[in-house]
């Protein structure tokens, strides 16, 4: 059996991180974030190869760790030195691109040496993909960390079908034009045959930029390159493995754990839940402020109402994230100091990672889920919460700035910048009559069941090359 794959996924991260203990022992931990949540079921079904970073650092010049098998697919690690982690991952990816693509809710920083590392690492990922892909294979490149890979790969392997999917928003002209290397980034993306976005607006921004930055002709969603090649852009709203979450939610263990959580919290009338990576795009401070003001005005009170906020540690060496953590923790201290009672804090703040069963138990235990990003490509947490509510209970407060709002139309929509509006919406969600709660949740669940991650991947791969996709469904690497 050849090691070459007919489907190769290239993403900055592998679905697991390697954690080396002080005694040198190695353990594996699921890596955080929506990308892994979405891609893991896709690759399991398709039995392809996943190329990515293991989340640790390798000494300069050290040999790359060998590919290995995980469940139904093959993993090919790409090593990064600590300098590359600083410049490519924390620097260009997460201090330049991440804020810029999220409406610059924090200022984007640019340093020339970060760009050099971004190019070098993108080249390494492209080389790994060129080695792993079988003749005429499909290579699916993921997210903002690897925007140069499609073009680099096409130069090495013109026989491949290359797709690119951006998991985060694609910014409008006014913001993208700040990027010092905007033309190179556009050229990198245009190496793909198909460029996918979460929302139609991302597609429009991309086509518009191809015209204005590179002076290319466009026709509808298609960009025409100088050599006659056509690149199609389109929206493919990502989803989750709905059946997996439903299975978890139905299990006796998760149901028992959900009950236990409520008991441990003192059986509040209303449990408000937030689950996010600790990221400044998620609007965590806005929701705390709304909650604090509602407590101070007496419109909510402890112990009837308590809040649980899971804040998964993320990008902890990047300055914006460090200052966010300080601000969030100060605010939690303030709310608990002013409104908590002995044995009953107003906010239970958990700066930890949890497994999927525990997260699902939290979703099942909640009465109100608050998802208030200032900008978010999709937000899979909102979809997971809905999928977990097999009892048709629970309300969802969802920001108008999350991609998920296009589909979860029965959520209580809010503008997190409008504090009074957010407070009103939160109260409406807390006080919604049971019949309305059930009606809303039922409709959202119905939508999700018909639009799960398998359908998302199938529609992308079909658009990338219909025949190829059918073959892929029957093939093994
Ligand atoms: P982002 O991709 O920006 O992190 P999403 O909401 O789209 O945001 O996806 C987050 C994913 O990470 C979800 O699948 C969620 O279940 C998972 N997740 C969030 N918090 C934790 C945690 N503490 N431990 C493990 N996984 C988590
Ligand atoms: C978002 C991004 C992913 C990223 C994830 C976790 O979902 O779109 O590309 O993997 O956040 O962030 P991290 O920096 O830990 O990989």
């Amino acid at each position: 059996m050849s090691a070459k794959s007919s489907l190769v996924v290239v993403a900055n991260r592998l679905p697991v991180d390697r954690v080396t203990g002080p005694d040198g022992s190695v353990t594996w931990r699921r890596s955080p974030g929506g990308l892994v949540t979405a891609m893991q079921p896709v690759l399991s079904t398709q039995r392809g190869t996943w190329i990515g970073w293991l989340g640790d650092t390798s000494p300069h010049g050290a040999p790359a760790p060998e590919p290995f098998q995980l469940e139904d697919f093959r993993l090919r690690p790409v090593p990064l030195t600590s300098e590359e982690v600083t410049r490519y991952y924390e620097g260009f990816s997460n201090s330049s691109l991440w804020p810029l693509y999220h409406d610059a809710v924090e200022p984007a920083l640019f340093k020339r040496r970060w760009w050099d590392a971004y190019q070098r690492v993108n080249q390494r990922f492209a080389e790994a993909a060129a080695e792993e892909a079988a003749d005429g294979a499909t290579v699916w490149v993921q997210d903002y960390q690897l925007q140069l890979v499609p073009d680099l790969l096409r130069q090495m392997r013109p026989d491949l079908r290359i797709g690119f999917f951006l998991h985060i928003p694609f910014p409008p002209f006014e913001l993208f034009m700040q990027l010092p290397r905007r033309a190179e980034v556009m050229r990198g993306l245009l190496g793909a045959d198909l460029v996918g976005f979460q929302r139609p607006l991302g597609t429009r921004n991309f086509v518009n930029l191809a015209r204005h930055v590179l002076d290319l002709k466009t026709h509808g969603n298609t960009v025409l390159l100088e050599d006659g090649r056509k690149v199609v852009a389109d929206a493919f709203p990502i989803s989750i493995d709905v059946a997996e979450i439903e299975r978890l939610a139905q299990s006796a263990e998760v149901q028992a754990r959900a009950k236990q959580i409520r008991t441990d919290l003192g059986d509040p009338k209303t449990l408000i839940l937030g689950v996010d990576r600790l990221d400044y795009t998620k609007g965590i401070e806005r929701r705390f402020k709304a909650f604090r003001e509602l407590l101070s005005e007496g419109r909510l009170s402890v112990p009837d109402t308590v809040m649980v906020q899971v804040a998964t540690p993320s990008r902890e060496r990047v300055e914006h994230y460090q200052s966010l953590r300080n601000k969030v923790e100060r605010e939690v201290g303030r709310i608990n100091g002013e409104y908590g009672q002995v044995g009953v804090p107003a906010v239970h703040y958990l700066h930890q990672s949890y497994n999927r069963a525990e997260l699902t138990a939290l979703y099942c235990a909640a009465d109100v889920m608050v998802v208030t990003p200032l900008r978010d490509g999709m937000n899979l947490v909102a979809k997971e919460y809905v999928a977990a509510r097999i009892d048709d209970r629970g309300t969802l407060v969802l920001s108008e700035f999350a991609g998920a709002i296009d589909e979860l139309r029965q959520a209580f929509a809010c503008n997190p910048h409008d504090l009074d509006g957010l407070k009103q919406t939160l109260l409406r969600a807390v006080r919604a009559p049971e019949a309305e709660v059930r009606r809303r949740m039922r409709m959202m669940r119905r939508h999700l069941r018909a639009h799960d991650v398998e359908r998302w991947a199938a529609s992308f791969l079909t658009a990338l090359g219909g025949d190829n996709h059918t073959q892929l469904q029957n093939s093994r690497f």
Side-chain angles (χ1 to χ4, degrees), residues 106 277-285 318-330 349:
E106 287 286 351
R277 264 186 318 100
L278 187 48
D279 193 295
Y280 52 83
T281 59
K282 303 288 182 184
I284 299 170
E285 292 162 281
V318 177
E319 206 178 304
H320 285 145
Y321 291 77
Q322 291 169 353
S323 72
L324 172 73
R325 182 172 177 190
N326 290 337
K327 284 188 265 180
V328 162
E329 294 186 353
R330 202 174 320 124
Y349 168 75

Side-chain angles (χ1 to χ4, degrees), residues 75-127:
L75 301 184
R76 156 114 187 216
V78 173
L80 295 183
T81 64
S82 69
E83 185 191 280
E84 285 164 347
V85 171
T86 307
R87 295 182 180 185
Y88 147 78
Y89 170 71
E90 294 166 347
F92 198 74
S93 297
N94 287 313
S95 300
S96 308
L97 295 170
W98 180 269
L100 189 71
Y101 283 27
H102 286 89
D103 285 0
V105 295
E106 287 286 351
L109 310 174
F110 303 109
K111 288 194 184 164
R112 278 169 288 189
R113 58 179 181 274
W114 291 352
W115 170 254
D116 297 338
Y118 187 79
Q119 276 182 306
R120 192 166 62 243
V121 173
N122 270 248
Q123 176 72 33
R124 189 172 310 145
F125 274 86
E127 282 165 9

Side-chain angles (χ1 to χ4, degrees), residues 21-34:
D23 57 348
S25 62
V26 170
T27 50
W28 302 98
R29 189 178 54 201
R30 183 191 160 103
S31 24

Side-chain angles (χ1 to χ4, degrees), residues 12-13 32-35 89 94 98 143-145 167-168 277 314-315:
N12 175 55
R13 268 191 194 278
L35 187 151
Y89 170 71
N94 287 313
W98 180 269
D143 231 357
Y144 60 102
Q145 304 93 341
H167 291 249
I168 66 174
R277 264 186 318 100
S314 186
R315 308 174 191 165

Side-chain angles (χ1 to χ4, degrees), residues 379-413:
N379 198 288
L380 294 184
V381 162
K383 291 191 169 181
E384 288 171 0
Y385 171 68
V386 169
R389 298 316 302 241
I390 50 174
D391 57 357
D392 285 338
R393 289 213 158 92
T395 50
L396 172 65
V397 172
L398 180 58
S399 164
E400 292 163 3
F401 298 94
I405 198 74
D406 291 348
E407 296 169 85
L408 303 179
R409 293 183 173 276
Q410 290 74 29
F412 288 83

Side-chain angles (χ1 to χ4, degrees), residues 9-18 28-33 35-37 39-40 43 49-56 65-68 70 73-79 125 146:
V9 162
V10 194
N12 175 55
R13 268 191 194 278
L14 289 172
V16 285
D17 283 341
R18 181 170 55 188
W28 302 98
R29 189 178 54 201
R30 183 191 160 103
S31 24
L35 187 151
V36 166
T37 301
M39 295 313 294
Q40 179 139 7
L43 259 195
T49 294
W50 184 324
I51 297 174
W53 171 49
L54 275 172
D56 57 4
E66 285 299 309
F68 59 98
L70 180 88
F73 50 93
R74 194 175 125 89
L75 301 184
R76 156 114 187 216
V78 173
F125 274 86
L146 300 178

